Amino acid sequence: MRNTATRVSTVAAVVGAAMTAALLGPVPAHADDPVLHHVKYTVGASQPINAEIYYRDTQPPNFGEYSHNPYQYSPKAVAELGPGKPWVLEATLADPQDWAMVVATKNGHDPELAAPGFVCELRVDDIVVATDSGTKGVLCSLRTW
């Protein structure tokens, strides 16, 4: 009799847990959730310069949305760069392979500063995945299109 009572209480516990789960609703499948990646953009210059920096910190839902209005997804920052004075931005993207991007150029025309010595670095999940350097501008990106 004792064995039967133990089985009945075990079955009751399992049925109770199943009913509770059914009342709470479906649990979202974690396998369907996108993996988010930490993206870090760093732009610098070897000489003081006022720079325009376009970057992507928000991922568009698809390429069509992006192509209709790329500047909605690529905001611009104006930053004073120089030795020991980089511009840094951190973002979270689900698909940095296609969407992580930073580009920098001189802001305006300054004939006295022809080569500010731009540099950029793109990190994804704390791994350097792209670098660039240039006299007039730089582009750090992984995109394949």
Side-chain angles (χ1 to χ4, degrees):
M1 189 79 155
R2 181 176 237 176
N3 230 358
T4 304
T6 303
R7 279 189 225 148
V8 168
S9 76
T10 302
V11 169
V14 169
V15 170
M19 290 177 68
T20 302
L23 290 173
L24 292 176
V27 176
H30 293 289
D32 294 340
D33 293 343
V35 175
L36 298 178
H37 299 276
H38 178 253
V39 176
K40 183 177 180 180
Y41 305 115
T42 304
V43 178
S46 60
Q47 298 180 47
I49 185 75
N50 191 15
E52 289 183 356
I53 302 168
Y54 290 90
Y55 58 94
R56 197 148 312 113
D57 65 347
T58 302
Q59 186 168 310
N62 56 56
F63 185 78
E65 289 292 320
Y66 170 77
S67 67
H68 288 302
N69 190 359
Y71 292 104
Q72 177 181 349
Y73 299 101
S74 303
K76 177 178 84 171
V78 175
E80 301 259 341
L81 304 177
K85 197 175 176 184
W87 175 88
V88 178
L89 182 104
E90 298 186 36
T92 303
L93 299 173
D95 190 6
Q97 181 67 34
D98 284 336
W99 298 110
M101 180 276 304
V102 64
V103 61
T105 60
K106 292 191 311 182
N107 182 18
H109 179 68
D110 185 354
E112 297 200 18
L113 187 58
F118 284 112
V119 293
C120 69
E121 178 183 87
L122 169 58
R123 289 178 172 262
V124 176
D125 298 330
D126 207 30
I127 297 169
V128 176
V129 295
T131 60
D132 193 18
S133 62
T135 56
K136 296 181 180 182
V138 287
L139 167 65
C140 283
S141 175
L142 294 175
R143 58 188 176 181
T144 57
W145 41 268

